[in-house]
Amino acid sequence: MQWGRLELAPFALTRPERRLMPEDPMHTSLGEGELPAHLPVMPIAGAVLFPQILVPLVLTEAPLVELVRRAVQRSEEQLVLVTLKPGRTPEEEDPSDPPFYTVGTRGMILQHSDLPDGSIRLLLHGKERLRLESCEREDGVWIAAVEGLEPPAEDNDEVEAIHRVVLGQFLELLSAIPEGGEEMKELLTQIEDPGAFADFISGHLNIEVEEKQALLEELSIRHRLEKIAEILGKEQKVLEYGTEIQERLKDEVEKTQREFWLREQLRIIQKELGEDEDDVAQLRRQIEAADLPPPALEQAERELKRLERTIPQAPDYHIIRTYLEWLATLPWSLESAAEIDLRHAREVLDRDHYGRGEVKERIIEYLAVRKLNPELHGPILCFVGPPGVGKTSLGESIAEALGRRFTRLSLGGIRDEAEIRGHRRTYIGALPGRILRGLREVGERDPIFMLDEIDKIGQDFRGDPSAALLEVLDPAQNHTFSDHYLEVAFDLSKVTFIATANTLTTVPPALRDRLEVIELAGYTPLEKAEIAHRHLIPRQLEETGLPEDAATIPTETLDQLIGEYTREPGVRELERQIARVLRRIALQRVEEGREEPVEVRPEALTDYLGKTKYPQELAGLEDEVGTATALAYSPEGGQILFVEAVTLPGEGEIKLTGQLGDILKESAQAALSYVEAHAEKIGIEGDVFAGRDVHLHLPAGGTPKDGPSAGIALVVALASLFSGRAVRRDVAMTGEITLRGHLLPVGGTKEKLIAAAQAGIKTVLLPKRNEQDLEEVPDEMRERLELILVDDVGEALRHALRTGERDEG
Ligand SMILES: Nc1ncnc2c1ncn2[C@@H]1O[C@H](COP(=O)(O)OP(=O)(O)OP(=O)(O)O)[C@@H](O)[C@H]1O
Ligand SMILES: [Mg+2]
């Protein structure tokens, strides 16, 4: 028999305007009630109710339904919830050995309603921990004498320190949630009381019931937090090392579910609070205060009248009310109206971001034009670059520099026009689109509105979101933006939109036309180290709650951290790794009482972070016949790629594997033709082609590859194969080839060079016609790499193939 089926209410999309924290005074006044000496017992199977947590339950079993009815009548809507011991049933009646644990949580019944099938739906709010002193059966129901349980006195500093460690861990886990972890983050950061915090997290952990019960029974807040830290630590490991995709997916789903729960809880509390007031009067006041433009005001009046005529129990009532709430809370006329101060803007940009001189200059220029000509609606700034290079954070800085609010909408995977423009009110659960939702969130009509990942916007039968986006961005149309839900026009012309993308190739051309593109390349290791020193380490020290001088990470350690524990164009993973190191230090301070500052030596990194994650690709590899090293570039950054060639008996066919795209396949054909045609010049002896097939493979077969820039590496691999001369392993190359053997220029030079240096390459062959790119190659890269510009294949072969005796191949 299953006791207490959990029921999920429909997903709450509304963003709560008012957050209620567990320690919020309004929250605790939700019918706190005195603790009576006796309470009816509700045993539940497979779940533990923690203080701070709200649970909706649907009860179908007659005795439980009866129990709730009785609780509602006789004990001021209170119960004690306890968890059934494994293998026991609630029908057992021996008072000397009740089938449940004797530590439980007082549950206040916030809502109860009868369902047509005789079952009952409940909303319970977990109050304090209780011990069940003695239990008796009365008319088939357990009644227990209860006593409140208080935490022992503890060292506040210690508790606070471990509180922060746990918070850090949890936030890190949350950052694995692709969308919307923000709200939970904010909520968690605001729970100040460590005990409440521990209970809140416990309620959302995905662990065995016995473990949960142990957490409930643990009265020491410190020990409770330590147990949680251990559990989260395990979860982190799973997340990091878990290789089975299945496991990963499961984790993700569970996290989204937790996230869902939180939203749901907030929604319910809000509803609870909201219902006490006189809706219509309150809404009317709000609408008056919101200074609506005439058409919107007329609409609001009409709807207010409708609301007055509707009884609160009618389904329509909530629909109208929600609609009016939207009208009342949108920033129709509220704005920051801040003046543009270029000097201040420059200071803020410099303070928040290291380097990027050119980008900052262009931003300042853009702002200067805006200042001179506020009415001019210029192009939309668009930051293009690989992940983690500071696109979003530059947007935030711009907002701060201008004294504007900031909001962000991720367009990744948005396929439905209604996401941008809302659903008509006739839909159940309809809401305005994300543009208006974002504006309500910031509460001002002139924010910086970042449209993230415009390159990932989708399109299908539900309409084309990029068309709606075009209207949003078009100054000729956006002062009367129409949202399906709102029905009345909203003026978006004061909003400053900034877009970001990893690549421009997938941005619809009409959209691209509106954008002023600023490219942000990946960082070199030196730049990363500098960013870490100035920004990431100080920030993470603060987040971990460590004093500023508690830990230093010298440059040589950072170099190793960057080279061997991260592989990314940006600095996001680097920041995560720094955070991990600092958290371990924080934990040592708490557990071992260490006070002295720690200097993190390179040798100590394995202790903090485990084995190197990314050993250099070239380490331990020898020169080989038939294997060349190409440099590739994708929106995620640069990377080295091996090209392997072998020959086998056949009819002169070419076989290609490694998930290659059409362009790459064609360049392989061209490469083979070139090698055959110029065999003699290359130094290929005899008729080696007849009766042979060629098999070309580009490892990492799981990743699709395409583009013409591997052309030269394909030629080198084939020339090596047929001539028997090995390719120098520390030479990497990039360049498109023509059938006549000329090299054509290719893109992503800087990213490719950074990847080459990281992989341990010594020499890079680049097409001569990429020469102008070298200007933007930092000195640091020139020092680490020998860059050779080559005009044709012959030259490239001279540098790439080993001279001297022939190898076996
Ligand atoms: N030049 C820099 N100086 C200081 N911090 C930086 C710099 N560049 C990036 N960062 C930091 O790196 C982190 C990641 O940056 P951000 O989130 O802005 O990346 P992004 O380019 O938006 O990536 P994505 O494409 O994945 O959204 C942020 O914490 C940001 O502050
Ligand atoms: Mg971003």
Side-chain angles (χ1 to χ4, degrees):
M1 172 189 281
Q2 200 184 345
W3 285 67
R5 175 166 59 89
L6 289 182
E7 194 210 43
L8 301 183
F11 195 94
L13 284 162
T14 340
R15 194 189 154 88
E17 289 140 272
R18 190 167 181 300
R19 279 142 217 274
L20 285 165
M21 297 309 123
E23 80 277 20
D24 188 306
M26 289 186 76
H27 185 138
T28 38
S29 72
L30 273 178
E32 183 75 25
E34 289 278 298
L35 175 62
H38 289 85
L39 281 176
V41 179
M42 182 193 288
I44 44 176
V48 176
L49 175 71
F50 280 90
Q52 316 297 340
I53 300 287
L54 275 178
V55 240
L57 284 171
V58 172
L59 305 176
T60 44
E61 291 76 13
L64 279 186
V65 172
E66 187 45 41
L67 175 71
V68 170
R69 290 197 206 291
R70 230 192 283 178
V72 170
Q73 283 160 11
R74 59 162 262 186
S75 59
E76 290 150 348
E77 320 209 325
Q78 303 183 50
L79 293 157
V80 53
L81 262 82
V82 290
T83 303
L84 271 184
K85 292 180 177 169
R88 308 285 297 266
T89 73
E91 286 83 14
E92 295 175 35
E93 296 194 358
D94 178 3
S96 66
D97 178 26
F100 37 78
Y101 294 104
T102 51
V103 173
T105 302
R106 177 161 68 114
M108 291 288 309
I109 300 176
L110 294 186
Q111 271 182 5
H112 60 99
S113 46
D114 297 321
L115 300 178
D117 64 355
S119 57
I120 194 166
R121 186 208 308 262
L122 275 193
L123 178 66
L124 279 174
H125 183 203
K127 295 290 178 182
E128 68 278 75
R129 286 176 165 66
L130 299 178
R131 185 189 308 287
L132 280 53
E133 296 295 346
S134 62
C135 301
E136 275 168 38
R137 294 284 283 191
E138 268 179 35
D139 306 336
V141 167
W142 287 99
I143 303 287
V146 293
E147 194 191 335
L149 291 171
E150 291 293 325
E154 286 177 291
D155 179 337
N156 277 341
D157 289 346
E158 271 177 16
V159 171
E160 189 48 40
I162 177 105
H163 175 185
R164 291 194 192 181
V165 169
V166 173
L167 177 62
Q169 285 178 307
F170 207 73
L171 293 183
E172 186 178 81
L173 283 171
L174 273 181
S175 62
I177 303 177
E179 253 287 323
E182 296 308 317
E183 219 151 275
M184 178 135 176
K185 279 187 190 168
E186 222 180 295
L187 178 63
L188 278 170
T189 332
Q190 288 177 36
I191 305 180
E192 276 168 15
D193 175 55
F197 173 81
D199 286 334
F200 194 69
I201 290 209
S202 306
H204 293 94
L205 286 175
N206 169 34
I207 48 175
E208 297 294 320
V209 173
E210 285 84 352
E211 278 182 284
K212 283 206 171 184
Q213 181 67 27
L215 278 172
L216 186 70
E217 290 182 11
E218 179 59 71
L219 295 186
S220 151
I221 295 172
R222 180 183 156 174
H223 289 157
R224 223 186 293 158
L225 284 166
E226 279 170 359
K227 278 187 192 169
I228 296 175
E230 201 181 305
I231 293 166
L232 291 180
K234 272 188 218 147
E235 193 135 336
Q236 268 169 325
K237 287 246 165 64
V238 173
L239 211 62
E240 273 164 33
Y241 304 119
T243 43
E244 283 177 41
I245 293 164
Q246 285 288 338
E247 266 305 305
R248 286 248 173 112
L249 281 178
K250 198 171 126 242
D251 268 12
E252 296 264 303
V253 170
E254 272 156 10
K255 276 195 212 79
T256 340
Q257 250 173 21
R258 263 175 249 163
E259 156 94 9
F260 163 84
W261 272 104
L262 271 177
R263 284 177 195 273
E264 192 52 19
Q265 294 193 15
L266 285 169
R267 195 183 69 93
I268 292 165
I269 299 176
Q270 275 190 313
K271 218 167 119 198
E272 276 293 303
L273 289 174
E275 279 174 359
D276 298 333
E277 317 194 27
D278 176 356
D279 276 351
V280 181
Q282 192 202 353
L283 281 168
R284 178 158 281 135
R285 229 186 7 261
Q286 284 180 351
I287 298 245
E288 274 161 22
D291 194 10
L292 272 57
L297 192 59
E298 279 165 33
Q299 173 88 345
E301 294 293 350
R302 265 197 303 278
E303 297 291 323
L304 275 169
K305 291 216 181 81
R306 267 183 75 200
L307 191 65
E308 273 171 339
R309 290 195 303 266
T310 314
I311 52 161
Q313 285 73 24
D316 261 9
Y317 186 87
H318 271 279
I319 298 178
I320 307 172
R321 186 169 179 274
T322 313
Y323 178 72
L324 279 164
E325 266 172 10
W326 275 99
L327 284 182
T329 48
L330 282 172
W332 296 95
S333 45
L334 228 61
E335 59 185 51
S336 73
E339 283 274 317
I340 297 182
D341 174 350
L342 290 184
R343 221 187 47 207
H344 175 66
R346 207 183 285 265
E347 275 166 17
V348 173
L349 288 177
D350 281 338
R351 185 196 65 200
D352 294 348
H353 291 91
Y354 167 77
R356 293 264 184 246
E358 237 173 83
V359 173
K360 289 178 190 162
E361 260 338 285
R362 285 194 55 194
I363 293 174
I364 297 287
E365 275 166 28
Y366 170 87
L367 296 179
V369 173
R370 289 269 314 251
K371 186 178 167 71
L372 286 177
N373 203 341
E375 295 310 311
L376 177 93
H377 295 287
I380 313 288
L381 280 186
C382 177
F383 298 137
V384 179
V389 296
K391 298 183 293 296
T392 305
S393 82
L394 268 173
E396 285 167 341
S397 272
I398 294 177
E400 200 191 327
L402 294 180
R404 303 279 174 88
R405 304 289 308 272
F406 178 85
T407 180
R408 196 173 78 86
L409 161 58
S410 177
L411 295 167
I414 287 191
R415 295 168 175 284
D416 187 349
E417 193 212 357
E419 288 277 339
I420 309 274
R421 214 196 263 291
H423 280 290
R424 298 196 184 284
R425 264 200 285 162
T426 44
Y427 272 80
I428 293 174
L431 277 185
R434 304 262 203 134
I435 301 285
L436 291 188
R437 270 143 71 187
L439 286 176
R440 176 164 96 162
E441 196 182 300
V442 295
E444 284 176 3
R445 64 169 178 160
D446 61 349
I448 304 289
F449 201 127
M450 183 157 259
L451 301 169
D452 254 340
E453 309 195 309
I454 52 163
D455 51 332
K456 311 237 166 43
I457 194 165
Q459 175 176 355
D460 66 9
F461 62 93
R462 282 164 293 191
D464 179 359
S466 62
L469 206 55
L470 267 179
E471 186 187 324
V472 169
L473 296 178
D474 184 353
Q477 298 183 53
N478 73 6
H479 60 280
T480 56
F481 173 66
S482 65
D483 181 284
H484 292 321
Y485 179 83
L486 205 64
E487 293 169 4
V488 286
F490 192 93
D491 180 2
L492 295 178
S493 63
K494 303 267 175 176
V495 179
T496 304
F497 290 100
I498 298 181
T500 79
N502 289 139
T503 166
L504 280 179
T505 48
T506 52
V507 178
L511 206 53
R512 199 156 137 189
D513 264 1
R514 303 222 173 283
L515 305 176
E516 164 148 346
V517 173
I518 298 187
E519 305 235 6
L520 281 79
Y523 294 114
T524 65
L526 265 186
E527 287 170 330
K528 288 181 184 176
E530 207 55 45
I531 294 173
H533 275 308
R534 289 171 198 235
H535 297 280
L536 311 182
I537 298 175
R539 178 159 65 211
Q540 285 309 324
L541 277 169
E542 198 182 322
E543 297 233 325
T544 326
L546 286 167
E548 248 172 67
D549 59 356
T552 48
I553 309 185
T555 306
E556 62 260 40
T557 310
L558 276 175
D559 284 345
Q560 192 159 337
L561 199 56
I562 291 164
E564 294 176 23
Y565 290 87
T566 70
R567 188 118 309 173
E568 55 172 359
V571 291
R572 198 170 278 139
E573 183 63 27
L574 176 60
E575 180 160 14
R576 227 171 269 151
Q577 299 296 350
I578 290 172
R580 287 182 63 198
V581 171
L582 295 182
R583 271 203 305 276
R584 305 272 140 103
I585 293 175
L587 199 59
Q588 283 171 0
R589 277 170 84 97
V590 176
E591 281 188 340
E592 298 161 27
R594 273 199 220 159
E595 287 288 313
E596 69 275 18
V598 180
E599 191 194 49
V600 183
R601 303 298 314 156
E603 313 81 76
L605 279 181
T606 38
D607 294 340
Y608 287 113
L609 300 174
K611 274 214 307 274
T612 299
K613 272 196 176 162
Y614 303 97
Q616 276 203 344
E617 283 102 326
L618 289 195
L621 293 181
E622 309 257 323
D623 295 355
E624 246 174 40
V625 167
T627 302
T629 311
L631 293 174
Y633 169 69
S634 73
E636 278 72 52
Q639 151 185 21
I640 73 163
L641 213 62
F642 295 120
V643 174
E644 298 172 346
V646 293
T647 124
L648 46 166
E651 285 152 22
E653 311 249 298
I654 182 165
K655 193 170 155 198
L656 300 159
T657 51
Q659 283 217 48
L660 314 184
D662 287 342
I663 304 177
L664 189 49
K665 284 183 183 161
E666 283 171 13
S667 25
Q669 295 281 1
L672 184 59
S673 299
Y674 176 87
V675 172
E676 286 193 37
H678 298 82
E680 202 175 327
K681 213 168 102 195
I682 294 171
I684 298 173
E685 289 161 17
D687 187 8
V688 287
F689 301 106
R692 309 292 296 176
D693 280 352
V694 172
H695 183 171
L696 278 165
H697 178 65
L698 277 68
T703 350
K705 311 167 193 75
D706 203 2
S709 77
I712 183 63
L714 290 162
V715 171
V716 168
L718 289 169
S720 155
L721 175 69
F722 288 112
S723 69
R725 285 163 65 192
V727 185
R728 282 176 52 198
R729 189 57 93 155
D730 56 357
V731 176
M733 58 210 79
T734 182
E736 178 173 357
I737 49 154
T738 70
L739 274 182
R740 304 209 173 277
H742 292 297
L743 284 193
L744 302 180
V746 289
T749 307
K750 185 182 171 194
E751 314 288 343
K752 285 175 175 172
L753 293 182
I754 294 172
Q758 274 224 316
I761 297 286
K762 298 274 180 323
T763 306
V764 175
L765 309 181
L766 288 167
K768 185 92 163 234
R769 285 156 75 180
N770 273 107
E771 191 165 7
Q772 81 263 19
D773 292 352
L774 296 188
E775 281 169 27
E776 55 183 79
V777 172
D779 292 344
E780 175 195 349
M781 300 317 319
R782 290 173 201 271
E783 279 162 26
R784 292 177 62 162
L785 294 169
E786 182 190 13
L787 303 178
I788 301 179
L789 293 166
V790 288
D791 226 353
D792 61 45
V793 173
E795 254 180 279
L797 288 174
R798 265 202 305 289
H799 290 290
L801 294 185
R802 262 204 345 222
T803 45
E805 79 288 2
R806 295 170 60 110
D807 298 73
E808 280 310 306

